[in-house]
Amino acid sequence: MSAVIQSATTPGTPGTPRETSGTRLAVRRFLRNRLAVAGLGVVAFFVLFCFVGPLVYSTDQTHTTLQQVNLSPSGAHWLGTDAVGHDELGRLMYGGKVSLVVGLAAGVLATVIGTLWGAAAGYAGGWIDAVMMRIVDAGIAIPALFILLVVSAITTPGPAGLILILGLVSWLVPSRLIRAETLSLKNRDYVLTLRAIGGTHARAILRHILPNSVSTVIVATTFQIADAILLVAYVSYLGLGVQPPATDWGGMLSAGLTAAYSGYWWLILSPGLAIILVVWAFNAIGDGLRDAFDVRGRG
């Protein structure tokens, strides 16, 4: 993600009429972006599908049913069954819970870590900023997927472990974005005034800099969620993600590809399409939010 994100929050005390007006304008601009609204609708659909769907379409995703393995789609099993007899539609809901929860939580965790690190580095400046950002540069030089594969090969993480690992390897890009935002905000009049009257550094960061960087944080979070969902799919596709009977869309795609070689090609369609749609949706939402908060595009 190399998008340049502009903060649209009006400088000043959060909650002022000008800021409220700016927020309403950003919402209206977002709602005029058809792709972003469509992405929001796709995300809402999959959230309902994965979390409410099992209450309507109940299936057994724990026990195997060898008499019903690799059945083609039918009225009894709308998307067929997999190699151990699990209903594929129910499995898609079950696996989607893991993919969405891990992606959302890991994306938020990565953004929180990156936001705090970037804000501290940008506000401190000088040699502290230089050292902190060289650590970020060194981390970016190592592919996150490589680190995730190494850790997954050493230990078999569950959903909580994947969230922690993904959060710890994905915070680097958000930290650079927030640092750039902080460098422009820390010299604003309201921050300098706070420092002149004896305000603490922590108050300056938490009360003024971070609230006025909220648009950048929100946009970064959407992209981080999309990246996390993809990383989970990559690792699970290679067999290093959550282990059976648990699954996610990446694990389903891996199993479906193996089955496709035996002629059961339909097993790869649903998880592959789900991954593509959800990742596209979060990226579309991120693009829409970036454009909505971009002060240069307002008129």
Side-chain angles (χ1 to χ4, degrees), residues 115-130:
T115 295
L116 295 176
W117 185 278
Y123 185 82
W127 67 269
I128 297 178
D129 178 37

Side-chain angles (χ1 to χ4, degrees), residues 254-281:
S254 178
L257 183 61
T258 302
Y261 292 132
S262 301
Y264 309 114
W265 52 268
W266 57 84
L267 293 177
I268 66 174
L269 293 181
S270 54
L273 186 61
I275 293 171
I276 292 172
L277 285 175
V278 169
V279 172
W280 169 83

Side-chain angles (χ1 to χ4, degrees), residues 207-229:
R207 185 67 180 85
H208 292 286
I209 291 178
L210 290 184
N212 283 292
S213 302
V214 66
S215 60
T216 303
V217 173
I218 292 173
V219 175
T221 301
T222 60
F223 288 115
Q224 287 302 123
I225 292 172
D227 291 343
I229 291 174

Side-chain angles (χ1 to χ4, degrees), residues 182-267:
T182 302
L183 289 175
S184 67
L185 290 173
K186 72 175 185 178
N187 293 320
R188 299 287 177 90
D189 291 342
Y190 52 88
V191 177
L192 296 177
T193 300
L194 175 67
R195 298 294 302 127
I197 62 176
T200 63
H201 298 302
R203 181 175 176 81
I205 293 174
L206 298 176
R207 185 67 180 85
H208 292 286
I209 291 178
L210 290 184
N212 283 292
S213 302
V214 66
S215 60
T216 303
V217 173
I218 292 173
V219 175
T221 301
T222 60
F223 288 115
Q224 287 302 123
I225 292 172
D227 291 343
I229 291 174
L230 271 181
L231 284 173
V232 173
Y234 292 153
V235 174
S236 297
Y237 179 80
L238 296 174
L240 298 175
V242 294
Q243 298 302 304
T247 190
D248 57 50
W249 287 337
M252 291 180 63
L253 188 62
S254 178
L257 183 61
T258 302
Y261 292 132
S262 301
Y264 309 114
W265 52 268
W266 57 84
L267 293 177

